Amino acid sequence: MLSLDFLDDVRRMNKRQLYYQVLNFGMIVSSALMIWKGLMVITGSESPIVVVLSGSMEPAFHRGDLLFLTNRVEDPIRVGEIVVFRIEGREIPIVHRVLKIHEKQNGHIKFLTKGDNNAVDDRGLYKQGQHWLEKKDVVGRARGFYQENSSVEDRNYLFLILEL
Amino acid sequence: MAAELHRAGEAVVWEAIVGLAVVPTAGQAVAVVKWKTDDKPVKIDKWDGSAVKNSLDDSGKKKYVENFGLIDGRLTICTIACFFAILALLWDCMHPFPESKPVLALCVISYFVMMGILTIYTSYKEKSICLMAHRKDPTGMDPDNIWQLSSGLKRFDDKYTLKPTFISGRTKQQREAKFTKSIAKFFDHSGTLVLDAYEPEISRLHDSLAIEK
């Protein structure tokens, strides 16, 4: 026999209380969503927090580290900075360092990247026939990071590097 | 099954309906379930503070014709906030970032403004009022009398406070009465709300306010 005793609490609620419970749940989800969108607006980046997926930036970043990004128009990209970019046609962003930059008078930039731990630059990763990356491929520049199992000295060293 | 029948006198009818409706036919059991629990005695976890308060509040409300103005206000604010969130989500899907930046900024700010409004509303306007009811004046000439019910149950405390307030529509005067009792007086050891102990208290308060018209 079907016993719905555990649903008694729900059955005792009238329509308004049920709707309020649904709204409550909706508001929890909405709060998380709004915080994420708010971060997107503030940093200007479409993905303000990313996770490092490969070991190509060791010893600076290890797999599993969190990176905080900004993508403001006023900040120009300079050689030596760590950028997160997306290659056309690929979903997953890559975290590498900028190696060379060609800059025009009007501010248009072409740049080349390389992972610290890689032997060669990223031309092999780019699209067929593409030799340089442009501003539109950039998701953001690393401004801060979070590492789970690092010692205090390592963290201070890395903060210095990122000029926080 | 027998224990349930023994404990809840009024529930015999309900149990019988469900029992009769379960007819095993060719290996299938069809159960017709009655959704409303009006005749079933209220049983909750007696250690769960919010469940206790809710069940006491709900039983106290049964006498009155409820006016939903306050609750509707709160529901409206929450609905508007969720609407902004959904708008932001859909707009961002249709117009990818960064073109959607101004709309997103607007939605985020509006959402948090609505949250602020909601907090202010619950703290000041609603306070602890859980019921607003209108008792229509029988002569039809004077404006409605308003009954307000306010209740409180502190966390991890067992003292439940019920405070009905009577606002006369005619003279705009406010009268209130309250009682504070331990919830142990209204629930038996298994968590069932004993209406026989609770209802006289409510009626007593209600009458004491109603008499002095």
Side-chain angles (χ1 to χ4, degrees):
Chain A
M1 183 173 96
L2 208 60
S3 167
L4 289 182
D5 283 338
F6 65 94
L7 279 181
D8 269 352
D9 282 333
V10 182
R11 286 150 84 185
R12 244 176 270 128
M13 291 195 229
N14 58 25
K15 280 199 295 275
R16 274 187 172 72
Q17 285 169 320
L18 266 177
Y19 181 52
Y20 184 61
Q21 292 300 325
V22 170
L23 267 185
N24 242 349
F25 174 71
M27 288 212 302
I28 294 175
V29 173
S30 304
S31 294
L33 182 72
M34 287 290 105
I35 291 177
W36 180 252
K37 297 284 180 210
L39 268 181
M40 273 171 66
V41 170
I42 293 175
T43 61
S45 152
E46 50 179 5
S47 186
I49 303 180
V50 292
V51 180
V52 176
L53 291 175
S54 70
S56 57
M57 283 297 282
E58 287 187 11
F61 299 133
H62 304 267
R63 273 168 56 183
D65 292 348
L66 285 176
L67 286 178
F68 302 102
L69 313 176
T70 66
N71 195 17
R72 302 229 179 79
V73 192
E74 324 73 75
D75 294 333
I77 298 180
R78 289 281 166 253
V79 172
E81 286 186 351
I82 301 174
V83 291
V84 177
F85 57 90
R86 237 188 227 126
I87 298 177
E88 250 177 281
R90 304 235 192 117
E91 284 245 343
I92 304 178
I94 302 175
V95 187
H96 282 168
R97 202 181 291 274
V98 173
L99 214 59
K100 291 185 196 173
I101 293 188
H102 283 298
E103 188 172 353
K104 278 198 204 166
Q105 286 281 31
N106 60 8
H108 185 75
I109 284 185
K110 290 199 296 191
F111 59 96
L112 175 65
T113 58
K114 175 181 173 301
D116 289 349
N117 212 17
N118 290 348
V120 294
D121 59 35
D122 290 342
R123 287 225 166 92
L125 288 175
Y126 297 166
K127 218 171 61 158
Q128 188 74 302
Q130 181 186 15
H131 296 299
W132 301 93
L133 286 176
E134 288 170 33
K135 201 105 202 287
K136 64 172 173 59
D137 301 313
V138 171
V139 174
R141 296 155 62 228
R143 284 289 185 214
F145 80 108
Y146 174 72
Q147 200 172 51
E148 266 193 359
N149 303 315
S150 68
S151 64
V152 182
E153 293 85 13
D154 284 348
R155 261 191 275 239
N156 287 339
Y157 180 52
L158 282 160
F159 276 137
L160 265 173
I161 291 181
L162 288 171
E163 288 156 82
L164 259 181
Chain B
M1 178 79 179
E4 293 210 11
L5 281 175
H6 195 264
R7 193 182 58 217
E10 309 94 340
V12 170
V13 173
W14 184 80
E15 299 276 14
I17 292 177
V18 176
L20 280 173
V22 175
V23 177
T25 43
Q28 279 179 323
V30 175
V32 173
V33 178
K34 200 169 123 188
W35 187 254
K36 286 273 173 224
T37 56
D38 288 332
D39 18 345
K40 204 167 175 212
V42 173
K43 179 178 191 305
I44 44 99
D45 178 12
K46 59 185 187 237
W47 298 116
D48 181 0
S50 62
V52 167
K53 182 173 184 300
N54 285 336
S55 59
L56 283 172
D57 287 347
D58 287 340
S59 306
K61 282 185 205 169
K62 282 207 188 120
K63 300 266 181 212
Y64 303 92
V65 176
E66 197 164 346
N67 174 349
F68 292 109
L70 272 185
I71 301 182
D72 280 349
R74 185 162 42 133
L75 288 180
T76 325
I77 297 179
C78 292
T79 311
I80 296 178
C82 286
F83 164 73
F84 275 120
I86 295 177
L87 178 70
L89 184 66
L90 290 177
W91 193 271
D92 199 43
C93 281
M94 293 196 310
H95 304 253
F97 199 80
E99 291 93 43
S100 56
K101 202 157 45 158
V103 175
L104 275 188
L106 179 73
C107 284
V108 170
I109 294 177
S110 315
Y111 182 80
F112 286 114
V113 162
M114 295 305 319
M115 288 285 113
I117 294 178
L118 180 71
T119 315
I120 297 177
Y121 186 86
T122 21
S123 319
Y124 290 109
K125 196 147 198 297
E126 271 202 329
K127 285 172 263 195
S128 56
I129 298 177
C130 65
L131 165 76
M132 266 256 291
H134 278 258
R135 183 61 63 86
K136 290 227 169 286
D137 194 67
T139 63
M141 284 200 310
D142 302 325
D144 295 334
N145 302 321
I146 302 176
W147 283 90
Q148 274 177 2
L149 207 61
S150 160
S151 69
L153 178 67
K154 288 212 198 72
R155 238 173 110 94
F156 305 128
D157 195 9
D158 69 328
K159 297 278 180 294
Y160 176 73
T161 307
L162 189 65
K163 195 167 82 164
T165 309
F166 176 76
I167 302 177
S168 164
R170 210 173 349 119
T171 59
K172 292 278 181 278
Q173 268 177 336
Q174 196 170 322
R175 266 199 307 280
E176 57 182 48
K178 81 175 186 179
F179 79 91
T180 308
K181 282 260 175 74
S182 167
I183 54 175
K185 291 206 196 283
F186 304 126
F187 287 91
D188 70 8
H189 64 92
S190 67
T192 311
L193 175 63
V194 180
L195 282 170
D196 296 334
Y198 189 46
E199 271 176 13
E201 295 284 342
I202 306 176
S203 310
R204 201 160 47 88
L205 278 180
H206 178 96
D207 294 336
S208 73
L209 285 181
I211 288 177
E212 310 151 19
K213 264 207 183 121

